[in-house]
Amino acid sequence: MKGVKLHVRVLALALLLIGAASTAWQIFVLNIPVSSDTTEPVWVIDTKLTFNARDNTPVKVQMYVPPSWSKFITLNESFISKNYGVNTDIVNDNRQAVWSARRAEGQQQLFYRLMLTKRSNSRFAESEAGPLFRESPDLQGVEKVAVEALLKPIREHSADIETFIREAIKLINEPSNDNARLLLGNNYTQNNKSMVLELLLSSAHIPVERVRTLRLISGVAQTPELWMRSYNGKRWLYFNPETGAQGLPNDRVVWWTGNDPIAKVEGGRHLKVEITANQKVMNSITLAQSIAESKENKFWALSLYDLPLQSQQTFEIILMIPIGVMLILVLRNIVGLETLGTFTPVLIGLAFRETQVLWGIILFTLITALGLSIRSYLEHLHLQLLSRLSVVLTFVVIIMALISVLGHRLGLDRGLSIALFPMVILTMSIERMSIVWEERGGLHAGKVGIGTLIAATLSHLMMTYPAWTYFVFTFPGMLLIFISFMLVLGHYRGYRLTELFRFNAMIKGRQ
């Protein structure tokens, strides 16, 4: 016996750990929310391209779109156009959308929509390594002298690539620095500053490239901002060429790298690009599912959310049955509540989903009372068990039909849902109630009937609690945790709560 108990405890512990590990993995690794009401912000970026096509000539439009290694996870992207073919190409580290048409004339409009979430993209840190060395340009005369004069203090005040680049940006933006002003040629535009920065860094054999970023801000038309980046041997370092700030802010999306414009057109003119971003809210479980689909996560293929919607609704009910079963186990083994059968209250509790609790209790009591009257009459006919059950079942169907018709006539539509009560369960309940009545009296039968209704009501409340329904359906590993508790309760041999009250008078009498 001790060996069996140990076996049960080990098995219960193993199931508990497996269920808890499965649930924790879904929460912390797959980022599945623990509540159905949790929402998260998502960003929708709309890009509109307008241009005038030359009369009846082939048109080809190329536009950079955010790469797959962008900082945030792409949920969906759409290319909207009329009479245009669309393809995406990989150009160096960039992605490029290409619209093409055999003939076009007049004003043309093309649209690109991107939906993304600020959840961190694991591929962002794993983007391809960049170059670590760059040939210095061949400088002559005054430019060479100015570059060397700028590099000397930069080397003295820096310790690595990061501090070197920040010192270079700092000197270029100093209006009092004559050498920087000479290289800039009194042109302090952001584009010209980035060119001088590239010149300085390449002279120090440090590769650097331009990167365009978009700021996530709602309802404001904008153009991508210029940033610089360099590879230090481990990761990419991003810098603001105006302030020298290092690291991309959390509201910036990398759009493309290099010196090319965002878009260009062949066979058209007056190309204009408008970009706007808007923040929306998405349910977190829908968001997690969308991310899994975009990543083609095979683990989500094993999720119940992958089932058809009708099947999902069915399993939402089925998966709640173990909760009702565990409640009945506690009520019978720990509390000591007597019911008709072991799991009959769970089935009655399921029927309460349509009738609601109050109407369900009334209808169950009415049908059971009428059924007991019929069962009592049949007892005098000395019928066999099978015949008696068949007659009772038929009368139960007739009673259910009559109550539904009368309820409809009286405007009580709840009476129509009585058909959802399992006829066989009601018939067996009537039979068991009558046996209890015969063996232990009407008072005890009433006590068992009340206990059944109490257990059914509690089961219904637990099985229809929305938070529980969502949690068990989303994290089916909880079923293993329930089994572990059921195994432990299966070896409980202690007093029940009702027994403590029953023996309390005897204990007081002895004292």
Side-chain angles (χ1 to χ4, degrees):
M1 188 63 183
K2 290 184 178 180
V4 174
K5 285 186 177 181
L6 179 62
H7 187 125
V8 170
R9 290 173 182 173
V10 172
L11 179 60
L13 180 61
L15 292 175
L16 177 65
L17 293 177
I18 294 173
S22 170
T23 303
W25 181 76
Q26 287 183 278
I27 294 174
F28 298 109
V29 177
L30 296 183
N31 292 319
I32 298 177
V34 297
S35 172
S36 60
D37 297 329
T38 305
T39 58
E40 294 184 36
V42 295
W43 286 89
V44 178
I45 302 174
D46 288 319
T47 304
K48 178 182 177 182
L49 297 89
T50 56
F51 63 94
N52 293 321
R54 298 188 178 95
D55 294 340
N56 293 321
T57 57
V59 175
K60 180 180 179 181
V61 180
Q62 297 171 304
M63 186 186 77
Y64 288 114
V65 295
S68 58
W69 49 263
S70 182
K71 186 175 183 180
F72 305 124
I73 297 175
T74 297
L75 299 176
N76 185 32
E77 63 178 357
S78 305
F79 303 89
I80 304 168
S81 58
K82 184 179 180 180
N83 300 325
Y84 279 84
V86 184
N87 293 284
T88 56
D89 301 323
I90 303 298
V91 181
N92 297 324
D93 287 337
N94 299 311
R95 287 176 65 238
Q96 192 176 65
V98 181
W99 287 270
S100 56
R102 175 62 62 184
R103 285 183 175 82
E105 60 180 348
Q107 189 178 58
Q108 305 292 306
Q109 291 185 340
L110 306 175
F111 297 91
Y112 169 69
R113 168 168 286 188
L114 173 69
M115 179 181 289
L116 53 84
T117 171
K118 278 194 172 184
R119 288 190 182 186
S120 180
N121 187 358
S122 59
R123 294 188 60 186
F124 180 66
E126 300 171 2
S127 57
E128 295 182 2
L132 295 174
F133 180 82
R134 183 172 181 174
E135 293 288 345
S136 61
D138 185 17
L139 300 176
Q140 301 292 333
V142 67
E143 285 189 351
K144 181 178 180 180
V145 174
V147 167
E148 291 177 351
L150 286 173
L151 289 177
K152 183 178 179 181
I154 293 174
R155 290 192 178 98
E156 292 176 352
H157 298 153
S158 62
D160 50 23
I161 291 179
E162 179 181 351
T163 53
F164 192 99
I165 295 176
R166 298 186 71 174
E167 284 295 322
I169 295 174
K170 179 181 174 182
L171 284 181
I172 291 172
N173 285 280
E174 280 187 6
S176 60
N177 191 303
D178 294 333
N179 295 303
R181 191 163 61 248
L182 184 145
L183 293 174
L184 289 169
N186 290 323
N187 182 358
Y188 290 93
T189 62
Q190 192 178 53
N191 185 62
N192 195 43
K193 288 180 181 179
S194 64
M195 291 177 61
V196 173
L197 179 61
E198 285 186 81
L199 179 64
L200 281 177
L201 295 178
S202 59
S203 299
H205 304 292
I206 298 176
V208 68
E209 64 181 7
R210 303 183 191 186
V211 57
R212 309 285 175 159
T213 67
L214 187 77
R215 186 181 178 189
L216 295 179
I217 182 172
S218 293
V220 178
Q222 56 179 308
T223 56
E225 295 183 359
L226 174 63
W227 280 58
M228 309 295 290
R229 73 172 188 170
S230 179
Y231 191 71
N232 69 350
K234 296 181 180 179
R235 59 191 179 91
W236 285 99
L237 304 174
Y238 291 80
F239 301 90
N240 187 325
E242 292 288 339
T243 64
Q246 191 265 327
L248 275 180
N250 291 330
D251 63 348
R252 300 300 174 98
V253 178
V254 174
W255 201 276
W256 85 97
T257 62
N259 301 325
D260 296 333
I262 185 173
K264 56 185 178 182
V265 59
E266 298 177 11
R269 57 185 181 273
H270 305 310
L271 176 63
K272 182 180 179 182
V273 180
E274 300 176 31
I275 303 177
T276 56
N278 288 287
Q279 188 180 51
K280 296 185 177 181
V281 175
M282 179 182 287
N283 182 275
S284 293
I285 186 64
T286 306
L287 177 59
Q289 188 175 7
S290 300
I291 293 173
E293 291 174 355
S294 65
K295 291 182 177 180
E296 297 183 356
N297 193 323
K298 295 181 181 180
F299 291 102
W300 266 90
L302 303 176
S303 170
L304 293 171
Y305 285 98
D306 196 55
L307 295 173
L309 184 59
Q310 186 175 2
S311 299
Q312 289 186 34
Q313 294 172 346
T314 301
F315 273 96
E316 280 185 356
I317 299 173
I318 293 175
L319 290 179
M320 298 308 292
I321 293 178
I323 293 182
V325 168
M326 191 169 67
L327 175 65
I328 299 302
L329 186 61
V330 172
L331 291 176
R332 288 176 64 92
N333 286 15
I334 305 298
V335 179
L337 187 69
E338 295 188 60
T339 60
L340 290 172
T342 306
F343 302 122
T344 301
V346 176
L347 299 177
I348 296 173
L350 287 175
F352 285 172
R353 293 175 63 92
E354 298 297 332
T355 62
Q356 301 303 319
V357 176
L358 181 60
W359 274 101
I361 292 174
I362 294 173
L363 295 172
F364 175 82
T365 304
L366 181 59
I367 294 175
T368 303
L370 293 174
L372 280 174
S373 301
I374 297 170
R375 168 66 174 75
S376 177
Y377 170 74
L378 294 175
E379 184 68 22
H380 298 291
L381 302 181
H382 301 290
L383 300 177
Q384 294 182 355
L385 176 63
L386 184 59
S387 297
R388 187 169 67 242
L389 289 176
S390 301
V391 173
V392 172
L393 175 61
T394 305
F395 269 104
V396 166
V397 174
I398 295 173
I399 293 170
M400 292 168 64
L402 287 174
I403 291 177
S404 296
V405 172
L406 291 174
H408 180 63
R409 286 290 182 182
L410 296 174
L412 302 174
D413 292 335
R414 285 293 178 187
L416 298 175
S417 60
I418 193 173
L420 294 172
F421 271 101
M423 293 176 292
V424 176
I425 296 299
L426 282 172
T427 303
M428 297 305 298
S429 298
I430 293 170
E431 180 68 19
R432 288 173 182 170
M433 181 78 79
S434 63
I435 293 173
V436 173
W437 194 306
E438 292 174 359
E439 293 179 351
R440 306 188 64 175
L443 183 63
H444 187 79
K447 179 181 176 181
V448 172
I450 293 173
T452 300
L453 288 178
I454 292 174
T457 301
L458 293 176
S459 297
H460 166 76
L461 294 176
M462 288 195 67
M463 291 189 295
T464 56
Y465 184 51
W468 269 112
T469 303
Y470 166 81
F471 199 84
V472 176
F473 184 82
T474 308
F475 306 101
M478 289 296 298
L479 297 178
L480 297 179
I481 297 177
F482 295 156
I483 293 176
S484 67
F485 283 112
M486 293 174 188
L487 289 172
V488 172
L489 287 175
H491 275 245
Y492 178 74
R493 298 292 186 270
Y495 285 107
R496 294 170 179 149
L497 295 179
T498 53
E499 291 176 340
L500 295 178
F501 287 108
R502 193 170 68 184
F503 295 135
N504 189 40
M506 183 180 68
I507 296 173
K508 289 182 176 179
R510 288 183 177 180
Q511 292 176 348

